[in-house]
Amino acid sequence: MILSMDEIINAVCLNTAERVGARPTDVQVELSWDEDTGYTGEVWVNGRSRYLVEANLMEAIMQYMHREYGRRIFRDDIRLELNEEIIAVIQDQA
């Protein structure tokens, strides 16, 4: 299964909104990849910004997969890739 960049952003919005007690529509996310830092993101909510590392993105994806698809996955089941955009490849569990 592959999550598009839009779905990863939705996952981060839902996760952040839940953590800070805001509405998901009040959260803005920008994802990026850098050779030195890997996959990261920046989140803006209620006038404040927060920097996310890859572990934060993975946590949001795991929660999103459970909430939206009813699948419990682990960090090892997720591989982030950069093609024309950032995607998450979810390994099928046997």
Side-chain angles (χ1 to χ4, degrees), residues 13 18 25 40 60 63:
C13 286
E18 187 176 292
T25 55
T40 60
Q63 289 180 355

Side-chain angles (χ1 to χ4, degrees), residues 31-61:
L31 300 178
S32 60
W33 180 85
D34 181 76
E35 194 171 305
D36 294 327
T37 58
Y39 295 96
T40 60
E42 189 167 3
V43 175
W44 294 269
V45 62
N46 297 330
R48 303 183 87 176
S49 71
R50 192 171 136 213
Y51 185 76
L52 303 177
V53 295
E54 188 171 322
N56 303 122
L57 300 176
M58 296 294 205
E59 177 186 343
I61 291 168

